[in-house]
Amino acid sequence: MKINKIKLKNYRNHKDTTIEFESGINLLLGKNGAGKSSIFEALGIALFDVEPRDNNLKNAVTKEEKTATITVEFTGNDFVDYVVERKIGSQSRHILKELNGAVISERKTNVLEKIGELAGINGKNTKDIFKNVISAYQNDLVNIFNLTPSLRNDLFNKIFDTEIYKKIYDSLLIVENEYNKRILADNEKINLLSEQLKNYINLEESIDNFKNEISYIEKEKLSLESKKEKIEKERKIIQKNIEDLKTIKSELKTENEKLEILTKNKEKLEKEILESQSAKEILMKSEKGYNKYIKIELELNELYLNERNLRLKEKQLKKIQEDISSNINKQKVLEVEIKNISEKIEELGKTLNELKEENSQLNDTLNKKNIELNKVLSKEKEIINEINKFEKDYEIYRDIKRNLMDIENQLIEEKDLKKIIEDDHIDLKNVQKSLEEINEKIYEKKDLESKLSELKINLENLKKSKEQLKDGMCPILNEKCMNLEEKGGSTNYFDLNILKIQKDIDKRNNKIISLGDLDKLKMKLEKEINEKKVKIETAKNKLAEIEKKKVMKEELLLRKNAIEKIYNNLSEKKDELDIDKNKIISLKSTIENEIRNIKNQIEKNKENINNIEKTINENTKLKELNLSKKEKINKELEKLHLKEKEFSNVLSEIESIEKIISEKEKIKNSLKKEYEKYIKNKEIAGKLEKLQLELEKTEKEILTIQNNIVYLKEKLKNYEDIETLSIKLKNIEDEINNVYNEINRNSSELSELKNELKNLKIQLNEKTEKEKQKNELELNLKTLEKKLKLVKDFRENIKSMGTHVSSKFTEIISTIATENYRKMTGKNEIIKWESKNNYRVILRDSIKGEREFSILSGGEQVSVAISLRTALARFLSKANFYILDEPTVNLDDERKNMLAENLKNMLDEIGQAFIVTHDGTFSEMAENVIEL
């Protein structure tokens, strides 16, 4: 696997961070708190579901944000590029897809399983392998091999997944016990079923008797059903006759009501026809007057239109006269404006000539002042060069004096430093002696812990054996155990041994407790030794610096005397140069102000000249524009006078047409009554034909209804009266109820018999089922007894499997780690990693013998740890990348340099490595340096 890129959004202090990685060693360099460790914490969360540092994912989301997103691009061991995205917070999501966008899975378990496969990590414990093998977080490089024996055992059993064999062994005991329980339970069930089957004797004979009785009752019920159907047919015929009789009477009533309504409508239509005939006669008499009225009305409409046109012309005439008056007024205003503009142009021309003359004089003065200023600037440059040279020499002189004072102060420290080195050497020897004593006690404590672990296992086994043999019976042979009988019985034998072992355990526990926390004390002494060494080395470095300072003092005194020789008195020379500088600056300032004022006045005059010329041009254009407007007004007046003549007869024509309209309106009013009478009767007369057709239709409908009424009355004669039919219906319904009661009584009796038969059949099924269960249980019992024997055999074989597997693993890893160690150090030593001794690490050579990891020097611990970790990574995965987070924390210079040298040698064989640090020790070895 190769990690190509990581992108963090709202993750801890990363608002929006993208980092690209390369093959080889990637160094992530930055100050503490820059978010370096957060980047690889996020990588573990996205790829392997590793818990964050505080075990709370929600705390990893940036404050005031709801969701954080981690996106990682990587190349799998199948050489395909993938992207994994993990959202945490209010939205939770885990998705794996190819870089081209094809989604692999959105289910978390499937995503993690696929990434483990692509990373080449064997087994299901990918998270633990990533945390403890592929990556090492802040000092974990060495610490996992310095854990207590029990913690080491738990950690590496989990990584190797060998704890599964212990679980299988324990779970098989549960299975064994379960089989025993099931065998006992099945025997009890078989006995119970045998007793229950005795209750089902003569069951088949009772079932046959019930079946015969049910058959007889069902025949009787069929006869009653047939009688019921016959009576119900008769009831339906009577019910239909009653319904038909009611329907005919209802129809007869409806027809009579229709006849009454139609008769009234006929009378109304006859009356309206008479009115329409009368209106038609009136219409013929008033038609002549109506036609005259219409003719006059048409003539008046034409006259109204002519009058309207003349009124429009009258308005146009008034508008023309108003326009003539307005144009004459405009003409007078323009003449006044043209005169005023001509006077203003003449006045502006005089002012323009005066300003041009003034600017010519100012330009001559400006040229003289510029010549004077150039001379002053040349003099100023000479003075500034002299001052700059003096200030440079003066600053050097002051630095020399300061350095001389510092050197004098440091020379005073020389005697104190020599005393510190002498005292610290004595302290260092004392602390190293104490460390050797502690190491001896650690050996003693580890031996006690190892023996204590064995005693606890023996104690647990004795307790289990005591429980199994509490009745003195051998569980295998199922007979009295003679060995226990000879030793005073099981209780006496086991209690004596348990008591003996418990006393031994308590004695060793007390001894371990009395030794206290030796690892902590050892770390404290090692830290003190490192601090003393650093302190001595620092003092030596300072003494070497003091010797250099003595030589530097002589050089500085020579340079100081040379500067004093050039300037005699430096303070007087500085004051003299400042006076000259101030004089020339003051003179320059005065001339520059005069030049600035002249230039401002010239610019101001130029601006006024431009404004005046602009104003003259604007007024000239305005004058020409007004002359043009005046010419247009003259032409417009000529046109308006011609139009005024065209409309001179309009008023006389309006007066003539008004007289004609008045006469016509008098004639129209005299014909109005005849017109209104015609209009009123025209609508009534127009309805005559329609009313006659409606009368004809109504008469036909009346005739149809009268015929229908006669038909319905004849039909009524074919039916009995409704009272007779109702009595017949009641008698039949009583007879039906009697039959129903007989049927219900019959059904009830039949139901009871069937229920009894059903219960008997259930009992028969129960009998069959119980016989079947008994046979199955007897068969199952034989199977369980065979399985129990197999489980016991298998459990005995699996007991030692975990120890064997982990032993093989550590043997292979020890071989690889030894090769790594020799390659790094050039030494011919052997790394021995023993799973049977709680994963204890030993370094062995022919001279020093065997040394445990905890007593190795700092450099040796780092080398062994790297050798083992890289061997573990090669053995357990094909991930081909490695992560180190702050590997130099709490390391002295010796360990840092050793770590850098060893890492360079080992990581060259790994495709990709990541080192997170605030220390620049690894900068030279990295192919890609990323600064945060």
Side-chain angles (χ1 to χ4, degrees), residues 631-644:
E631 183 63 29
K632 283 181 181 178
I633 288 167
N634 287 334
K635 289 179 180 177
E636 185 66 26
L637 282 169
E638 288 175 7
K639 290 179 183 177
L640 289 168
H641 284 306
L642 289 170
K643 285 184 178 179
E644 187 180 21

Side-chain angles (χ1 to χ4, degrees), residues 908-922:
D908 279 346
E909 296 184 6
I910 293 174
Q912 191 178 35
F914 306 93
I915 302 175
V916 181
T917 183
H918 64 279
D919 193 325
T921 307
F922 304 99

Side-chain angles (χ1 to χ4, degrees), residues 60-178:
V61 181
T62 304
K63 285 182 180 178
E64 299 178 1
E65 298 292 341
K66 293 181 179 179
T67 307
T69 305
I70 307 165
T71 307
V72 181
E73 292 183 15
F74 66 92
T75 304
N77 286 352
D78 58 356
F79 304 104
V80 177
D81 290 333
Y82 296 89
V83 179
V84 62
E85 183 183 286
R86 178 79 185 267
K87 284 185 184 287
I88 55 177
S90 59
Q91 295 180 7
S92 182
R93 182 185 182 192
H94 211 161
I95 182 170
L96 176 67
K97 54 188 176 183
E98 291 183 10
L99 194 60
N100 60 17
V103 174
I104 308 296
S105 180
E106 293 187 36
R107 287 186 63 189
K108 183 179 173 181
T109 50
N110 293 349
V111 169
L112 295 171
E113 187 178 335
K114 183 64 178 176
I115 290 172
E117 180 188 321
L118 294 169
I121 298 176
N122 303 321
K124 296 180 180 178
N125 50 345
T126 54
K127 183 194 296 187
D128 291 307
I129 291 172
F130 176 80
K131 280 171 64 178
N132 298 298
V133 176
I134 292 174
S135 57
Y137 289 92
Q138 299 195 0
N139 235 10
D140 277 351
L141 182 66
V142 171
N143 286 355
I144 63 168
F145 301 108
N146 269 328
L147 293 171
T148 63
S150 60
L151 288 176
R152 279 202 312 268
N153 207 42
D154 291 343
L155 174 64
F156 289 110
N157 278 343
K158 196 172 182 183
I159 290 171
F160 290 144
D161 208 15
T162 54
E163 58 188 9
I164 190 68
Y165 299 108
K166 176 69 167 61
K167 289 177 183 176
I168 293 169
Y169 180 76
D170 292 340
S171 62
L172 283 174
L173 178 60
I174 297 166
V175 172
E176 189 178 319
N177 292 334
E178 186 62 31

Side-chain angles (χ1 to χ4, degrees), residues 780-801:
N780 192 46
L781 187 61
K782 289 177 183 177
T783 306
L784 284 172
E785 285 168 348
K786 287 179 184 177
K787 285 183 178 179
L788 178 61
K789 186 177 182 305
L790 287 170
V791 167
K792 284 179 178 179
D793 294 342
F794 184 67
R795 186 163 173 261
E796 284 303 313
N797 291 330
I798 204 77
K799 189 174 183 179
S800 60
M801 187 69 76

Side-chain angles (χ1 to χ4, degrees), residues 397 559-570:
Y397 182 78
R559 290 175 66 191
K560 178 174 175 284
N561 293 335
I563 293 168
E564 286 173 344
K565 189 176 179 181
I566 294 168
Y567 294 107
N568 293 325
N569 191 324
L570 273 81

Side-chain angles (χ1 to χ4, degrees), residues 487-507:
K487 293 173 182 176
S490 63
T491 304
N492 183 51
Y493 170 75
F494 287 116
D495 286 349
L496 286 171
N497 281 285
I498 287 167
L499 185 62
K500 183 182 175 184
I501 292 171
Q502 188 63 55
K503 281 180 181 179
D504 206 356
I505 287 170
D506 292 342
K507 182 182 174 183

Side-chain angles (χ1 to χ4, degrees), residues 394-502:
Y394 187 67
E395 187 62 35
I396 291 167
Y397 182 78
R398 286 171 66 191
D399 286 343
I400 290 168
K401 286 178 76 177
R402 276 196 300 272
N403 288 333
L404 285 168
M405 286 177 69
D406 291 342
I407 289 167
E408 289 297 329
N409 291 332
Q410 288 175 5
L411 290 173
I412 294 165
E413 286 185 77
E414 186 176 11
K415 189 176 180 181
D416 295 336
L417 287 168
K418 287 177 179 177
K419 182 72 171 63
I420 287 166
I421 291 168
E422 186 180 342
D423 292 343
D424 282 344
H425 268 300
I426 294 165
D427 291 343
L428 181 61
K429 287 177 181 177
N430 292 332
V431 176
Q432 285 173 334
K433 188 177 179 182
S434 299
L435 181 61
E436 287 171 5
E437 291 171 359
I438 291 296
N439 282 333
E440 288 173 5
K441 287 181 180 180
I442 287 171
Y443 271 123
E444 182 185 352
K445 187 178 178 181
K446 285 183 178 177
D447 186 54
L448 285 167
E449 285 173 344
S450 177
K451 288 177 179 175
L452 182 65
S453 179
E454 290 173 8
L455 287 169
K456 284 180 178 178
I457 291 165
N458 291 339
L459 180 65
E460 188 63 32
N461 289 335
L462 278 170
K463 285 179 179 179
K464 286 181 181 177
S465 298
K466 179 186 173 183
E467 180 63 27
Q468 289 175 347
L469 299 166
K470 63 185 176 183
D471 54 359
M473 296 293 288
C474 175
I476 306 299
L477 302 173
N478 199 20
E479 61 184 26
K480 282 282 181 180
C481 184
M482 299 309 294
N483 290 332
L484 289 176
E485 286 293 321
E486 289 169 5
K487 293 173 182 176
S490 63
T491 304
N492 183 51
Y493 170 75
F494 287 116
D495 286 349
L496 286 171
N497 281 285
I498 287 167
L499 185 62
K500 183 182 175 184
I501 292 171
Q502 188 63 55

